[in-house]
Amino acid sequence: MKMLLVGAGAVGESILRILQSRDPDGKWLEKVVVSDCDLYRAQEVVGHLQEDERFVAEYADAREKDQIVALIQKYQCDFVMDAAAPYVCNNIFDASYEGGVNYGNMGTWSVPRDNPKLGLGIENSYIEPMTKYNFDRHKDWQKKGIMACICLGVDPGVVNVFAKFAAVYLFDEIHEIHVKDGGNLTIPGADKDTIIFGFNVWTVLDECINPNIEWDKEKGGFIVEGAFAGEETFEMPAGVGLNTLVKVEHEETVTMPRYLEQYGLKKCTFKIALDDNLVQALKVISSLGLRSLHPIHVSGVEVVPRDVVAAAAPQPKDLGSEMLGKMCVGVHCKGIKDGKTREVFIYQPFDNQISMHDWKMQAVVAQTGFGAAVGIELIAKGVWKDAGVFSPEYFDPIPYLEIMDEAGFEYGIVEMESQYKTINDKKIMAQIFTDAANLRKLAAKLEKR
């Protein structure tokens, strides 16, 4: 694979670090062009990769499609990984199509209406719903014989793989999938008013304040609510503990019904744990109109409010060793197995101190990078391949999970209380009693001898 990375931010760098560790000898990762609108940043990232000659830095403004196409042609790239801000996602997608190469991203662009009408119907709240721009072009990509794999991070990404695995291997019918993104990260000694953006500031402003979407087949399809709706508490495994979660706009609620309705899916939601300070800040930003994409004039200079906030806010790449705790992202699945109700939570935990030690990246960033890197490896090796536009649920989940095992990208499954668990527990206990009785009989025989 000859890859063009567009966007050399924290997540982009984490993808490269992980790919390099997975293929140090260049068996399937032949060349990587690291591009960014800040050439110094692209050069800095390349410098962090231990003078590996496979990695080269280039300038590219992702708003200029021709610049991306030119880099594809210059280096004869066959894959573009989009790690840039969401608002240039469609541009990079189109440039990859024009360049005739495969493409991947970690999320998509959406455009909410200025006065969204909440309730049933995504079209009443969004001019351009998430993933629509991409999936609408599926046949064009198919005819051209190239592939786009969108939503290839952790969530969306890893959780989509978990959902497909659950639908195929853990349930006879999967009825509900609820994506949950939480953690217990803290910064000891931080000021009580500190605001932490654990992920790309632009993306946080985009998805957290947009109207959120859930999918409910029995109620008619997509249901839209205002920001921070649907608050609930959920006990996260791996020592993370109780999290308070709220709904935000996220691609899984669109992609999972697309691919998993055939397995019986009736409902899909996405919820995330947000720090109280961050929620308050986001509400203020929204109330002041500072999340707007419409330019305003300030002392003769035209600026986009959201760009100003994104530039001024604390950056995720500057957070690191001072944070303690874990991230935990997973899917809470409900359905039927062997005629009994079943519930499981499949999750991926990521410890920040281990992340800093192993990857020199904070957990939120490295966790996302790992999700993307595993998918890129499968595409590079030709394991995930087709023509058209897809998200991870389309593909076989087993090869992805096998690489997670091999790479030490930990995951687990919690069997939750259900009819299936009750019956299974009784079967396990019955087998233990049988084994114990057999051992007693054997011991009695030996005593008689």
Side-chain angles (χ1 to χ4, degrees), residues 158-424:
V158 174
V159 293
N160 305 62
V161 174
F162 288 165
K164 176 65 174 292
F165 175 77
V168 175
Y169 296 102
L170 301 183
F171 291 88
D172 298 324
E173 296 176 28
I174 191 163
H175 294 164
E176 298 183 26
I177 301 175
H178 304 285
V179 183
K180 300 185 187 298
D181 183 329
N184 60 4
L185 292 175
T186 60
I187 299 179
D191 185 272
K192 64 182 179 65
D193 295 323
T194 297
I195 299 170
I196 300 171
F197 286 84
F199 199 68
N200 179 280
V201 178
W202 226 98
T203 303
V204 172
L205 291 172
D206 185 42
E207 65 185 27
C208 290
I209 305 178
N210 280 353
N212 70 77
I213 298 165
E214 73 168 71
W215 183 75
D216 193 319
K217 183 177 180 178
E218 295 179 346
K219 292 183 180 179
F222 294 108
I223 299 171
V224 185
E225 296 179 278
F228 315 116
E231 182 176 305
E232 70 162 302
T233 56
F234 185 81
E235 186 72 27
M236 287 287 189
V240 171
L242 196 66
N243 272 214
T244 300
L245 307 162
V246 294
K247 294 179 185 176
V248 301
E249 180 204 27
H250 237 249
E251 291 87 346
E252 294 94 325
T253 59
V254 175
T255 64
M256 288 182 182
R258 182 183 185 89
Y259 292 106
L260 304 181
E261 186 179 358
Q262 63 178 307
Y263 297 96
L265 188 62
K266 298 177 182 177
K267 189 172 184 178
C268 183
T269 66
F270 179 96
K271 293 186 180 182
I272 191 170
L274 297 173
D275 176 76
D276 289 342
N277 287 349
L278 178 59
V279 171
Q280 184 60 37
L282 291 173
K283 289 179 178 178
V284 171
I285 288 168
S286 182
S287 296
L288 294 175
L290 294 176
R291 69 177 296 255
S292 174
L293 298 176
H294 302 301
I296 59 174
H297 292 275
V298 181
S299 301
V301 179
E302 190 176 77
V303 297
V304 175
R306 192 185 298 189
D307 287 346
V308 175
V309 175
Q315 299 301 307
K317 68 181 179 64
D318 298 326
L319 293 172
S321 57
E322 65 270 29
M323 289 200 301
L324 300 177
K326 295 179 182 179
M327 287 298 299
C328 186
V329 179
V331 286
H332 181 193
C333 304
K334 301 179 181 181
I336 302 296
K337 179 66 175 176
D338 298 337
K340 304 291 187 295
T341 59
R342 187 181 194 185
E343 278 189 55
V344 300
F345 186 64
I346 313 175
Y347 64 96
Q348 200 292 308
F350 218 92
D351 185 282
N352 190 67
Q353 288 182 292
I354 294 174
S355 180
M356 290 301 303
H357 179 269
D358 292 350
W359 303 106
K360 308 297 186 291
M361 293 280 176
Q362 54 109 325
V364 182
V365 167
Q367 188 182 39
T368 304
F370 233 121
V374 175
I376 292 169
E377 180 174 340
L378 290 170
I379 294 168
K381 291 177 175 178
V383 178
W384 279 10
K385 60 180 179 180
D386 209 319
V389 179
F390 310 96
S391 59
E393 300 95 328
Y394 174 77
F395 300 101
D396 182 357
I398 297 296
Y400 193 102
L401 297 175
E402 288 176 336
I403 291 179
M404 288 182 71
D405 283 331
E406 186 180 308
F409 191 26
E410 180 187 350
Y411 62 92
I413 301 177
V414 175
E415 189 75 53
M416 305 176 76
E417 292 300 326
S418 67
Q419 293 174 345
Y420 180 84
K421 183 179 184 301
T422 299
I423 296 297
N424 227 35

Side-chain angles (χ1 to χ4, degrees), residues 56-239:
V56 296
E58 285 278 6
Y59 170 83
D61 184 342
R63 294 170 296 183
E64 302 295 329
K65 189 165 54 178
D66 291 346
Q67 292 185 18
I68 301 170
V69 175
L71 285 178
I72 291 171
Q73 294 171 343
K74 178 180 178 179
Y75 290 95
Q76 297 182 312
C77 296
D78 51 35
F79 181 76
V80 171
M81 185 61 201
D82 176 359
Y87 69 91
V88 290
C89 172
N90 292 348
N91 215 38
I92 302 169
F93 177 79
D94 288 343
S96 303
Y97 177 79
E98 287 189 21
V101 300
N102 294 335
Y103 166 86
N105 70 26
M106 293 170 284
T108 64
W109 177 232
S110 62
V111 182
R113 297 185 182 277
D114 289 337
N115 296 297
K117 295 180 180 178
L118 306 182
L120 185 65
I122 196 171
E123 69 283 349
N124 298 323
S125 295
Y126 281 87
I127 298 169
E128 183 181 319
M130 50 191 170
T131 77
K132 187 177 189 303
Y133 187 89
N134 310 91
F135 285 134
D136 279 355
R137 287 152 181 78
H138 170 75
K139 289 184 179 179
D140 293 335
W141 283 69
Q142 195 174 46
K143 289 176 183 176
K144 204 164 186 175
I146 52 178
M147 181 180 78
C149 185
I150 62 173
C151 304
L152 190 60
V154 62
D155 57 340
V158 174
V159 293
N160 305 62
V161 174
F162 288 165
K164 176 65 174 292
F165 175 77
V168 175
Y169 296 102
L170 301 183
F171 291 88
D172 298 324
E173 296 176 28
I174 191 163
H175 294 164
E176 298 183 26
I177 301 175
H178 304 285
V179 183
K180 300 185 187 298
D181 183 329
N184 60 4
L185 292 175
T186 60
I187 299 179
D191 185 272
K192 64 182 179 65
D193 295 323
T194 297
I195 299 170
I196 300 171
F197 286 84
F199 199 68
N200 179 280
V201 178
W202 226 98
T203 303
V204 172
L205 291 172
D206 185 42
E207 65 185 27
C208 290
I209 305 178
N210 280 353
N212 70 77
I213 298 165
E214 73 168 71
W215 183 75
D216 193 319
K217 183 177 180 178
E218 295 179 346
K219 292 183 180 179
F222 294 108
I223 299 171
V224 185
E225 296 179 278
F228 315 116
E231 182 176 305
E232 70 162 302
T233 56
F234 185 81
E235 186 72 27
M236 287 287 189

